[in-house]
Amino acid sequence: MTLPAAIDCDVHPTVPSLAALLPYLPEMWRDTVIRRGFEELNTISYPSVNPLTFRSDWRDATGKAGTSVETLAKQALDPFGSRFAILNCLYGAQALFSEDLGAAFCQAINDWIAREWLDKDDRLRASIIVPTQNPERAVEEIERVAVDRRFVQVLLLVGGEIPLGRRQNWPIYAAAEKHGLPIGIHAGSTYRHPVTPVGWPSYFTEDYVNQAPGFQSQLTSLMSEGVFAKFPDLTVVLMESGVSWLPAYLWRLTKFWKGLRAEIPWVSDPPASIVRDRVRMTLQPFDAPPDDGGIARLMEHMGSDEFLLFSTDYPHWQFDGLAALPAGLDPVLAAKIMAENPLRTYSRLNDMKGAT
Ligand code: ZN
């Protein structure tokens, strides 16, 4: 069986330096950034020296990777034969304490992505970066950018100021649903709170492993607060979340829902079935058992072959060579992961009109 062309649902373009964004900032904020002597805003991603941040053979002379569209195409698109790749830019706009400055940087990043990336390779699509410090400003940014149909998703971070299900975030979901944009929740934090539920850790290993419980907390929040009930056409994509925790988490969530459902009557169906219908996960980092039988069992436990979306998580180091897909995957399932599931999830990928 020939596999379809890949649709890579999590690729990271690297902002080469703050200077690259300056031309895209409104004049007032450009002057402010220069006058205040801003340093780089790499606050929501790991530093370049972290081995996971950039795969060693993808690093350039500066020690970074994915800083230009040419390099990204050569390293992330061509080798995997990707038909589309969705760019998720991780830069510190959402971590800034000033709502106005955060909004200005989100606008600059989205415009930089459109001009410097999407205009230069028609295989590229992108997520809209929004200033979650202020949902009103986030909605304004969605409305401003969504007219460009190459933007296919709204990007949120798993670690923010408040749980994502809380009512004050609902305008973001309303705007996303209106424009047919899934909400993509990506690993990363604005560091308003410790990344573990028990306090601040010491090592990157602890930070990274604890992203998964963060995803569980956010999924529980979205479910319990009623986001899935209020926005029936909204899809949520968990990106770089890992996948193997999902079945055990759903067993636990469903168990306690059975006993406590009277307090959240809007969750009228078992949480596992809501998640199966409304939530998707990107593939890398794939943390399933290493043997073929283990992967098959995991898929059985997940209860659906529509959960997973192909991703390389370029340029992060999750695998070597071209081993983005786990070995021994059933070809029919592989085809779904590579293309069918992404095309169902991202309606705008089916839009052949391209940019407006
Ligand atoms: Zn990622």
Side-chain angles (χ1 to χ4, degrees):
M1 173 176 176
T2 312
L3 289 177
I7 295 175
D8 192 337
C9 298
D10 188 27
V11 167
H12 300 291
T14 302
V15 176
S17 71
L18 182 63
L21 296 178
L22 289 181
Y24 295 95
L25 278 170
E27 192 179 352
M28 171 198 159
W29 291 111
R30 185 164 58 240
D31 291 348
T32 302
V33 165
I34 293 168
R35 199 170 55 244
R36 287 195 201 166
F38 267 47
E39 295 181 353
E40 298 300 320
L41 300 180
N42 292 319
T43 42
I44 60 169
S45 53
Y46 296 141
S48 301
V49 293
N50 182 319
L52 285 179
T53 304
F54 302 116
R55 203 172 93 175
S56 56
D57 61 324
W58 286 336
R59 289 175 186 264
D60 62 21
T62 69
K64 295 181 179 177
T67 54
S68 75
V69 70
E70 294 79 16
T71 314
L72 184 139
K74 199 170 97 195
Q75 295 178 335
L77 304 184
D78 300 342
F80 298 93
S82 293
R83 177 177 163 203
F84 293 119
I86 300 172
L87 301 176
N88 293 313
C89 184
L90 300 179
Y91 201 61
Q94 304 96 316
L96 291 162
F97 283 94
S98 160
E99 295 175 5
D100 294 329
L101 186 57
F105 264 101
C106 287
Q107 183 184 321
I109 292 169
N110 290 325
D111 290 349
W112 175 74
I113 289 283
R115 297 289 83 78
E116 305 293 339
W117 297 81
L118 304 184
D119 282 355
K120 294 181 177 174
D121 193 315
D122 60 14
R123 292 170 292 181
L124 296 177
R125 298 292 184 271
S127 298
I128 303 173
I129 312 300
V130 295
T132 39
Q133 298 95 327
N134 181 320
E136 277 180 25
R137 302 298 296 271
V139 169
E140 283 172 19
E141 188 61 6
I142 294 170
E143 295 295 340
R144 188 184 75 86
V145 178
V147 293
D148 183 340
R149 297 188 61 84
R150 299 172 301 178
F151 286 88
V152 300
Q153 175 172 250
V154 173
L155 180 74
L156 303 179
L157 294 176
V158 71
E161 204 146 335
I162 59 167
L164 287 174
R166 295 280 294 277
R167 301 297 191 281
Q168 69 192 67
N169 289 318
W170 285 19
I172 298 175
Y173 308 135
E177 184 185 52
K178 184 181 88 177
H179 289 289
L181 299 162
I183 292 288
I185 306 173
H186 195 280
S189 180
T190 58
Y191 296 101
R192 301 293 197 265
H193 310 288
V195 290
T196 89
V198 291
W200 290 102
S202 302
Y203 298 102
F204 284 128
T205 309
E206 294 170 272
D207 185 306
Y208 206 78
V209 171
N210 274 285
Q211 299 288 322
F215 278 96
Q216 295 182 15
S217 301
Q218 295 295 21
L219 202 45
T220 311
S221 170
L222 292 168
M223 179 75 63
S224 304
E225 298 274 4
V227 170
F228 292 111
K230 177 74 178 174
F231 305 101
D233 294 324
L234 190 70
T235 299
V236 172
V237 181
L238 309 182
M239 300 186 292
E240 213 179 317
S241 60
V243 299
S244 60
W245 52 266
L246 186 72
Y249 159 79
L250 287 177
W251 295 328
R252 182 173 172 82
L253 178 60
T254 300
K255 177 177 176 56
F256 290 102
W257 168 78
K258 282 179 182 165
L260 294 168
R261 56 189 293 191
E263 68 167 11
I264 46 172
W266 40 84
V267 186
S268 52
D269 294 319
S273 78
I274 295 173
V275 169
R276 258 197 301 277
D277 289 344
R278 311 286 298 282
V279 176
R280 300 291 175 258
M281 303 171 111
T282 59
L283 185 69
Q284 291 291 344
F286 194 62
D287 49 11
D291 59 293
D292 298 357
I295 292 173
R297 271 197 308 282
L298 173 66
M299 292 303 152
E300 238 172 73
H301 288 325
M302 291 181 89
S304 168
D305 57 6
E306 296 182 358
F307 262 125
L308 297 179
L309 311 177
F310 178 75
S311 71
T312 58
D313 197 24
Y314 172 90
H316 299 167
W317 194 0
Q318 313 292 9
F319 60 90
D320 288 311
L322 296 176
L325 273 181
L329 207 59
D330 174 77
V332 174
L333 177 59
K336 285 201 147 202
I337 293 171
M338 299 279 279
E340 289 173 38
N341 294 348
L343 286 173
R344 279 211 191 98
T345 303
Y346 297 104
S347 58
R348 290 187 171 202
L349 291 184
N350 299 288
D351 183 350
M352 302 307 288
K353 284 182 289 190
T356 55

